[in-house]
Amino acid sequence: CLIAAHKATILDKFAEVGKDSAKMEIVISYFLSNGTQYMLEGNYDAARTCTVFARWFEQCTAVGLHKTQALINRVKVDDANNPSDIHTLVKFLRKRIPCKCLDKKYKEVKDTAKLGFCYNPECTIPDGQVERSKTFYCSRCRNVTYCSRDCQKADSPIHKHECDKFVAEIAKFEAKKQSLCTIIS
């Protein structure tokens, strides 16, 4: 859904928006503003949807326009879409808006655990949800998380192909970044 929405933004009549950092910031601000309003109204599902789009467009801007990272960090996007994790939702919005309207809500949720996902489709934990502080990133690509080393090992044959692509993209990005640093110095 997000990929299709992003491609539509880039490829159709709004193509200029996806190529202009200032215009993308306006799009992101729109989703942040609406997400905050929904949060204040108690409509967490709508707030989460806006947050996911804001996070997605932030990631796309960082990769495609600012060139500050090699890949869209799908863990961050997925964490924003976790219906059981109100803490991450409130914190994300609160850090990005200029007012203090979510401070009270943040105080209410700050002690609740932030939840993450185990990307092993065979994980035995319900919905693959685990306290984020206990997750393990793939040490190669850092683009998926697991609840345990056992789950990571079990998913390895499936993830390996995707991981290789991620690692190659990261290496290409780092080499380009290094060559730019060499030119500047």
Side-chain angles (χ1 to χ4, degrees):
C1 177
L2 286 174
I3 294 169
H6 178 69
K7 284 181 180 176
T9 301
I10 298 300
L11 299 175
D12 72 359
K13 63 184 177 180
F14 299 110
E16 71 279 357
V17 173
K19 297 175 184 174
D20 184 323
S21 184
K23 289 178 182 176
M24 286 300 287
E25 291 302 322
I26 293 168
V27 170
I28 293 166
S29 293
Y30 169 83
F31 284 112
L32 293 173
S33 173
N34 283 315
T36 300
Q37 185 61 43
Y38 287 132
M39 175 62 66
L40 293 171
E41 294 168 358
N43 188 344
Y44 301 145
D45 290 338
R48 183 167 288 102
T49 298
C50 289
T51 300
V52 169
F53 276 103
R55 174 64 93 180
W56 176 260
F57 286 125
E58 280 181 352
Q59 291 289 306
C60 290
T61 301
V63 171
L65 296 174
H66 297 165
K67 311 258 189 258
T68 54
Q69 62 191 55
L71 302 167
I72 290 172
N73 185 326
R74 86 181 207 206
V75 173
K76 287 184 177 185
V77 176
D78 288 346
D79 285 347
N81 197 29
N82 188 338
S84 301
D85 186 0
I86 191 77
H87 183 159
T88 299
L89 180 61
V90 174
K91 185 176 178 180
F92 176 86
L93 292 168
R94 181 175 173 255
K95 285 176 70 176
R96 287 163 174 78
I97 58 170
C99 65
K100 304 285 185 201
C101 62
L102 289 177
D103 286 358
K104 181 180 175 189
K105 187 68 178 167
Y106 182 71
K107 286 178 185 173
E108 293 172 17
V109 301
K110 73 178 184 178
D111 292 328
T112 60
K114 293 189 247 179
L115 299 175
F117 292 104
C118 178
Y119 282 79
N120 177 6
E122 303 300 320
C123 180
T124 59
I125 294 175
D127 298 323
Q129 291 190 22
V130 63
E131 192 172 324
R132 195 175 318 144
S133 65
K134 296 178 181 172
T135 59
F136 298 90
Y137 277 90
C138 169
S139 59
R140 291 186 65 225
C141 71
R142 302 204 43 83
N143 211 26
V144 296
T145 54
Y146 298 99
C147 66
S148 67
R149 296 287 179 209
D150 289 339
C151 263
Q152 183 175 12
K153 193 174 180 179
D155 190 47
S156 182
I158 298 166
H159 174 62
K160 183 180 179 353
H161 305 292
E162 183 178 59
C163 187
D164 290 343
K165 291 177 188 174
F166 291 153
V167 170
E169 193 64 34
I170 292 166
K172 190 168 93 177
F173 174 80
E174 291 298 328
K176 189 173 185 177
K177 192 165 84 173
Q178 188 63 36
S179 70
L180 287 174
C181 288
T182 305
I183 292 169
I184 292 171
S185 0

